[in-house]
Amino acid sequence: MTTLTAPDRPAEQVAPALRDADVQPGHGRPALLMMAPFLVLYLLFIIGPTLYMVLMSLFDTSLVKEGLGSWAGLGNYAEAFGDPAFWESMWHTIWFTILTTPPLVVLAFVLALLADRVRRGRWFFRLAFFLPYVLPSAVVALIWMWIYTPELGLLGRFVTALGFTEPGWLGDPDVAMWSLALTTVWWTLGFNFVLYLAGLQDIPRELYEAAAIDGAGPIAQIRRITVPMLARTTSLVVVLQVIASLKVFDQMYIMTSGGPNFSTRPVLEYVYDVGFTDFRVGYASAVSTLFFLVVLAVSAVWVLLTRRQEQGL
Amino acid sequence: MTIVAETRQRRDTAPTVTREEIDRRTRLFNGFCAGVLIAFAVIWLVPIAWAVDTSLKPNAETTNPTWMIENPTLESYRTLLGQGDIWNWYASSFITSTLTAAATVLTASMAAFALSRMRFRYRWLVFWFVLIGIMIPQQVLIVPQFKEFAALGLLNTYWAVIIPQVPAAIAVFIFKQFFDGVPRELDEAARVDGAGFFRTYWRVVMPLSRPVVSAVAIFTFVWSWNNLLWPLLVMTNPKLMTIPVGLATVQGTYGIRYADTMASAILGALPLVLLFVFFQRRIVEGIAGTGLKG
């Protein structure tokens, strides 16, 4: 039934050749017409803004004044590198990524593995784990702010009942990022769970049966068959997760406003603050460009890794 | 390697492990798996259940938090729906998400058809050019796009929310992958019968591509509905705000009226929960088949 194409094809197949082998006369004009709606919007609202961002990063552009403003050269970049607030926000983004990626990958894998063994009621698990993923970030934030409310919140009372002191979930600078990570794991786990579940269904049952006949117990089967067979799925899940975590903004914006004392402000919120509160669009563009390079680097690492996997097989 | 050695050894010393014994162990293990899984699933549902629970209490009773609802009431829902703001947000979200999804499916599939089926010069260049777009996260572009829409005078219009979300390179890529798998004989037959390219696309290839059309449409709709950062910047008029922007903006004003806050969260989630319940299979297959992620 799954007639959609596989996401993790060899990079060689995905990447087109650098020439056209079979140009046919009369195809050019209709092709241009059919691509025009997409290409015009794409040029005007994706490629154009990307180039404009790089251009603005070289000027002292202001949000409220027309034009680019005065030439700044690499001054904005130098300022970013010299500004502790930039480094802190960049670190918060990376720290959030480090906190969320391992549980979101490992827990999703384990739960999918368990769900794959259970014959009945799979729809229920899919519902339970995936339902939070379709909720808007604002809804997730409102629910968890209530759960984290000091003294009245569900989690605080649970922890107190166990005999511990309730931490300042969102109010303590040392705890807030962990709380945001916990909320995010709850919110987005379902996506990775479904990816893993699909990967598990592609493993031929005969492999397990053969292993069972050889006397391999369930744990040995998982270690010797499941984990290696899911290597591709795992690399896809990890890279998608890292990129999604790097783009974090919503949870912090709503739940902590980047606080307390800027201890949870991610780099996108820093861009938001310097661009739309301080009106320093040139500087904000420089920071955006730097952030863009980080995301590009992650994608590039993934392409290289999958290439190597291809060759290794 | 060690596992193989261990199992072999075990088999040598205890050659009497029967098929029944293995089956029994497997059943036991499966039972254990089910137990752990159910525990996690229940934990996962608790926050949503707690939100529903709170929303059904009178505001005054939420500060004495128990699961028991002594005086169940729909008062919070009545208040919110009566204020009218939420209806505007629903309308805003619905209009922008529907138009975004429709425009994305149409423009991306047409471009993908040309790339998949038509033999024009510099095809490879166009494809590479589109592939670059997959690497550009929308969030990076908020600053230049805001400048652009301010210059166009489109801030606080639905267009500002819709337009930048339409040219999604990933959608072209997904459509092209799917079209490449649709047998060419069918549309070549149509071409021989005198159908033009557009007619072939609309009458032959698109009807064969329902799974991918619905997957892209549903996902674009969900992402667009849940998008916060960009609509937050361009929709500052409370009457035009989308659901997430509205909820994020007014959350401070509820104060300690926790029941009202939770009711607003439930109301904000409701359309997507319904969408998910109706299209569960399509959504799950869509993720599994394409690895889409917002």
Side-chain angles (χ1 to χ4, degrees):
Chain A
M1 186 50 225
T2 312
T3 33
L4 300 169
T5 45
D8 40 2
R9 277 203 198 169
E12 286 77 6
Q13 268 175 268
V14 167
L18 289 176
R19 59 192 182 82
D20 301 309
D22 49 351
V23 176
Q24 284 181 22
H27 282 216
R29 190 185 293 262
L32 198 62
L33 278 175
M34 287 195 78
M35 292 188 299
F38 175 83
L39 285 182
V40 168
L41 290 173
Y42 182 62
L43 273 171
L44 284 178
F45 297 103
I46 304 290
I47 299 298
T50 307
L51 299 175
Y52 190 45
M53 170 180 76
V54 176
L55 186 68
M56 278 194 296
S57 75
L58 304 173
F59 288 84
D60 280 325
T61 313
S62 159
L63 185 70
V64 283
K65 280 189 226 134
E66 299 256 321
L68 285 168
S70 58
W71 170 256
L74 294 175
N76 286 323
Y77 291 95
E79 189 187 336
F81 284 130
D83 186 352
F86 164 73
W87 287 111
E88 274 169 30
S89 66
M90 201 62 140
W91 166 243
H92 293 148
T93 292
I94 291 168
W95 177 228
F96 176 82
T97 307
I98 295 171
L99 281 181
T100 50
T101 304
L104 278 168
V105 174
V106 175
L107 196 59
F109 171 72
V110 172
L111 292 174
L113 206 61
L114 297 177
D116 193 48
R117 292 199 152 252
V118 177
R119 297 242 172 78
R120 271 174 304 170
R122 203 174 286 171
W123 66 269
F124 169 73
F125 301 118
R126 225 161 46 183
L127 180 86
F129 296 128
F130 195 76
L131 189 62
Y133 181 75
V134 299
L135 303 182
S137 57
V139 169
V140 172
L142 289 182
I143 293 176
W144 281 83
M145 282 163 80
W146 170 222
I147 289 175
Y148 287 142
T149 304
E151 290 175 47
L152 302 176
L154 198 59
L155 211 57
R157 283 186 305 127
F158 178 70
V159 169
T160 316
L162 290 177
F164 297 99
T165 341
E166 181 185 359
W169 300 106
L170 298 173
D172 184 337
D174 296 328
V175 181
M177 192 63 95
W178 291 84
S179 305
L180 291 166
L182 178 67
T183 299
T184 307
V185 169
W186 177 80
W187 180 25
T188 58
L189 179 102
F191 187 88
N192 296 346
F193 173 77
V194 169
L195 275 181
Y196 267 125
L197 211 53
L200 282 168
Q201 277 156 7
D202 288 343
I203 300 177
R205 298 277 135 182
E206 297 81 51
L207 282 178
Y208 294 111
E209 282 160 23
I213 290 167
D214 279 353
I219 303 291
Q221 288 177 21
I222 289 166
R223 277 184 53 184
R224 306 278 308 162
I225 300 172
T226 319
V227 173
M229 291 288 283
L230 285 179
R232 300 200 64 126
T233 309
T234 301
S235 80
L236 178 77
V237 168
V238 169
V239 76
L240 289 177
Q241 188 54 58
V242 168
I243 290 174
S245 286
L246 288 174
K247 292 193 288 193
V248 68
F249 168 82
D250 299 13
Q251 298 94 305
M252 279 80 164
Y253 177 79
I254 306 173
M255 294 174 73
T256 63
S257 313
N261 198 19
F262 298 119
S263 63
T264 58
R265 180 165 70 169
V267 69
L268 274 177
E269 196 171 335
Y270 182 64
V271 170
Y272 180 93
D273 286 347
V274 293
F276 298 96
T277 310
D278 305 343
F279 299 153
R280 300 191 53 211
V281 169
Y283 181 60
S285 295
V287 176
S288 297
T289 307
L290 290 171
F291 174 61
F292 179 35
L293 292 177
V294 172
V295 176
L296 267 186
V298 172
S299 313
V301 167
W302 180 61
V303 169
L304 289 178
L305 277 180
T306 41
R307 284 252 164 131
R308 189 177 282 174
Q309 266 181 7
E310 296 305 315
Q311 284 157 4
L313 283 174
Chain B
M1 207 50 226
T2 50
I3 294 292
V4 174
E6 275 166 30
T7 48
R8 195 162 291 152
Q9 204 178 15
R10 203 185 306 146
R11 225 177 346 169
D12 291 343
T13 50
T16 49
V17 175
T18 58
R19 187 72 209 236
E20 286 75 45
E21 173 63 14
I22 287 173
D23 282 351
R24 198 187 63 83
R25 272 191 217 162
T26 307
R27 256 202 311 281
L28 213 70
F29 186 70
N30 285 355
F32 172 74
C33 290
V36 174
L37 198 59
I38 289 168
F40 267 97
V42 169
I43 293 172
W44 241 249
L45 289 173
V46 162
I48 293 172
W50 180 235
V52 174
D53 184 282
T54 306
S55 74
L56 296 173
K57 291 174 179 171
N59 276 310
E61 283 172 29
T62 53
T63 49
N64 175 30
T66 52
W67 284 90
M68 268 285 296
I69 309 170
E70 279 168 27
N71 303 300
T73 173
L74 291 173
E75 190 53 40
S76 294
Y77 291 95
R78 218 170 286 138
T79 315
L80 286 166
L81 294 175
Q83 278 167 358
D85 268 354
I86 198 147
W87 295 107
N88 287 328
W89 302 343
Y90 272 140
S92 219
S93 280
F94 193 78
I95 292 168
T96 54
S97 303
T98 309
L99 288 177
T100 303
T104 302
V105 166
L106 204 66
T107 55
S109 64
M110 274 174 21
F113 177 85
L115 287 168
S116 169
R117 288 299 200 271
M118 299 163 78
R119 302 276 158 261
F120 57 95
R121 197 179 296 273
Y122 300 126
R123 192 168 78 246
W124 65 271
L125 195 67
V126 175
F127 191 36
W128 273 106
F129 184 59
V130 174
L131 274 180
I132 293 169
I134 295 177
M135 306 274 223
I136 307 174
Q138 203 95 52
Q139 288 88 337
V140 165
L141 299 179
I142 50 171
V143 173
Q145 284 181 342
F146 186 87
K147 264 277 199 188
E148 192 176 16
F149 278 88
L152 291 169
L154 288 176
L155 297 179
N156 276 311
T157 65
Y158 292 140
W159 299 116
V161 176
I162 297 166
I163 294 172
Q165 298 190 85
V166 172
I170 184 80
V172 177
F173 183 68
I174 289 166
F175 272 117
K176 183 184 178 297
Q177 291 241 57
F178 190 90
F179 291 163
D180 285 347
V182 174
R184 268 152 208 279
E185 289 75 26
L186 292 168
D187 49 300
E188 266 155 25
R191 299 263 304 134
V192 169
D193 286 348
F197 283 114
F198 187 81
R199 211 180 150 78
T200 314
Y201 152 79
W202 190 249
R203 286 287 167 85
V204 180
V205 175
M206 281 302 260
L208 289 170
S209 306
R210 290 227 176 89
V212 73
V213 168
S214 62
V216 172
I218 292 168
F219 272 98
T220 310
F221 186 90
V222 171
W223 290 334
S224 170
W225 187 286
N226 288 351
N227 196 355
L228 174 72
L229 179 52
W230 177 246
L232 181 71
L233 289 169
V234 295
M235 294 301 216
T236 45
N237 176 353
K239 288 211 179 328
L240 291 172
M241 284 176 178
T242 58
I243 290 267
V245 178
L247 290 179
T249 310
V250 304
Q251 45 111 349
T253 63
Y254 289 123
I256 55 161
R257 289 177 1 241
Y258 298 115
D260 287 1
T261 314
M262 285 308 103
S264 73
I266 304 290
L267 286 175
L270 211 54
L272 285 191
V273 172
L274 291 177
L275 187 85
F276 173 65
V277 170
F278 281 121
F279 294 105
Q280 201 196 116
R281 231 181 51 148
R282 281 247 186 275
I283 291 176
V284 169
E285 275 171 9
I287 295 177
T290 53
L292 294 156
K293 185 150 192 163

